[in-house]
Amino acid sequence: MGVDDTGWDAREGADDRSDAELLAAVAEADRGALHELFARHEPWLAIRLSRRCADPAIVDTAVQDTFLAVWRKPSGWRGDGEVAAWLWGIAVRSLLHQLRPRANVVERLRNLRSSPAVSAEEEVLARVEHSDVGLAFSRLSPDLQAVVQATVLDGLTTREAAALLGIPSGTVKSRMSRARTELREGLL
């Protein structure tokens, strides 16, 4: 976004504060700051969550829950790492919470559909899980699996993965290198 050739600002009135400054303002109950965080981060959060869940209503609920969590506890961001990585962590947990099976919901869904719609990503991941790659992945230590999950499957940058996992960026890089080596050996 920003100013185009005509001088028009696509987000006229956009807040120039950093994400960290906006979070501090949210802590002071500034609804405008929360709105600005939403305007900045909702589009990419919704797109990335929709790659993990084919139901737009569930994705919308997860995004709304994410920003509700930010409003309720902006101090959850400890000041280290990127605010975007922190938001992504909340969004993923919100999505997982939405997807947790609930007996009455599951039963109603069974009655509504004969076969559940599966996203393309879920289908590919299911095939990979039962392949040689999935077997090699399952043999990795939990620390290495977490780094592969964050960087490869969730598409996070090294910095975002470090913030999400609570480890230094260098540790993410070294664990990813070890994971690649172990996966390569597991596939031979």
Side-chain angles (χ1 to χ4, degrees):
M1 302 240 150
V3 178
D4 66 11
D5 295 344
T6 64
W8 181 75
D9 187 349
R11 288 190 57 222
E12 191 170 322
D15 199 319
D16 291 336
R17 293 179 284 182
S18 70
D19 287 346
E21 291 169 330
L22 289 170
L23 269 179
V26 169
E28 301 290 325
D30 181 344
R31 289 177 187 235
L34 181 66
H35 181 268
E36 179 63 24
L37 278 173
F38 182 85
R40 286 182 191 178
H41 297 285
E42 182 276 337
W44 69 265
L45 283 171
I47 289 169
R48 287 184 70 185
L49 289 176
S50 67
R51 292 180 186 155
R52 285 151 183 79
C53 176
D55 187 335
I58 292 175
V59 169
D60 287 344
T61 301
V63 170
Q64 294 301 321
D65 287 351
T66 298
F67 288 97
L68 182 60
V70 170
W71 178 254
R72 288 182 176 159
K73 194 173 179 192
S75 62
W77 183 64
R78 295 182 307 250
D80 52 338
E82 296 291 321
V83 171
W86 177 67
L87 290 171
W88 174 244
I90 296 170
V92 167
R93 286 188 298 278
S94 295
L95 180 64
L96 291 175
H97 177 75
Q98 293 299 315
L99 295 175
R100 259 188 218 121
R102 294 171 184 88
N104 59 350
V105 174
V106 171
E107 191 57 40
R108 283 188 293 184
L109 287 175
R110 282 188 190 130
N111 293 335
L112 290 175
R113 307 183 208 191
S114 58
S115 62
V118 177
S119 72
E121 182 180 50
E122 291 169 329
E123 195 173 313
V124 169
L125 289 176
R127 288 183 186 172
V128 168
E129 182 180 349
H130 300 293
S131 69
D132 293 340
V133 173
L135 185 59
F137 177 77
S138 69
R139 291 181 182 149
L140 295 176
S141 70
D143 289 343
L144 297 181
Q145 285 182 1
V147 168
V148 171
Q149 173 74 37
T151 57
V152 177
L153 300 176
D154 289 340
L156 297 178
T157 65
T158 300
R159 188 184 315 174
E160 291 170 336
L164 182 65
L165 298 171
I167 58 176
S169 294
T171 303
V172 171
K173 291 177 185 177
S174 64
R175 286 182 184 173
M176 193 59 208
S177 177
R178 263 196 342 236
R180 275 194 297 271
T181 300
E182 288 184 26
L183 285 170
R184 202 174 299 122
E185 291 170 359
L187 293 171
L188 294 178

